Amino acid sequence: MTIYNFSAGPAVLPKAVLETAQSEMLDYKSSGMSVMELSHRSSLFEEIIQTAENLLRELMAIPDNYKVLFLQGGASLQFTMVPLNLAQGKKALYVNTGSWSKKAISAAKALDNVEVEVIASSEDKNFTYIPEIPKTIDQNAAYVHITTNNTIEGTAFEKIPSFGKVPVVADMSSNILANDYKVEDFGLIYAGAQKNIGPAGLTVVIVREDLLNKKAIFAPMLDYALQAKNNSLYNTPPTYGIYIAKLVFEWVKAQGGVAGITAEDRKKAQLLYDAIENSHLFKSPVEKKSRSITNIPFITGDEDLDKAFNQAALAQGFENLKGHRSVGGMRASLYNAFPIEGVEALIAFMEKFEKENGGE
Ligand SMILES: Cc1ncc(COP(=O)(O)O)c(C=O)c1O
């Protein structure tokens, strides 16, 4: 049975990447060692981390005045590192578009000397849309934080709104390398790797140099400037994760770069949204203009039927389709490495289920 992994993260990786990792597992470039066994100070690993950075710079067209950091602690640690480095003694603005935004907001609020203001929210409708941004916002704020793609709720910013001269900080965990945003529209971007980049345990941060903290942070590991000064090698970085990220970046490049990948992502999402629109059983809980092309929730409106669908889907090899516990129903996460055949197979299965369950 073919397994299709719809997980929201850790998520499906390109098969070609896993095959390369497998072929290099026991003996990386005739070193007689696996990548996991290499010193992070060795020339072989230095080449890996430098290539990973160069490829990411090329794929995302990252300008020279931005640093690329390979860190640990997940996107969740960035919820604290961002305000700690950028907003001490200042005000930070947040757009509240879902569970992950809420966590970012509470982490910032937990810091004594950071003032937090939520400038827009879609919580009134269970985060089923992307809210309008007020015309005037405090131009002296340290930054405005957005979550570009809301993994749980299935909404995304199609375009990045204008916030004047306030730097935009983005949690891009679930749609990095899957959109045509421009890095220069952001002051800082962060992403946990475990969706479009590689295995969990690696976090990528892209930060404009002028935003690097001037004063040392009490905990060296949480200090962007120190991490940047040490080229992410202040301590032992997640070496194997960085190696897999390098392979994924090579794979993205071979797919025609971000433009090529995004075109394919749009095609996959369109197929599923069309099937949902044409169905009499399934519907999307998300407002049309706010829909994510990456995480696509759908429901029948009947919890028992959702449960029956999830059970039957699982038996057919559709893994991890169950929606997040806060939303229910189903959610198909169609990250870059998810094959279009999996979307087609899911749609065929949905049509069959609909016929067998009273649909037309
Ligand atoms: C948008 C978003 N932000 C943050 C997180 C949390 O990431 P981590 O588990 O790496 O801390 C996730 C995880 O799925 C996410 O989807």
Side-chain angles (χ1 to χ4, degrees), residues 8 73-77 79 100 147 149-151 171 173-174 192 194-195:
S76 300
L77 186 58
F79 296 165
W100 293 115
T147 311
N149 185 82
N150 297 281
T151 324
D171 176 355
S173 294
S174 48
Q194 64 271 23
K195 298 152 199 302

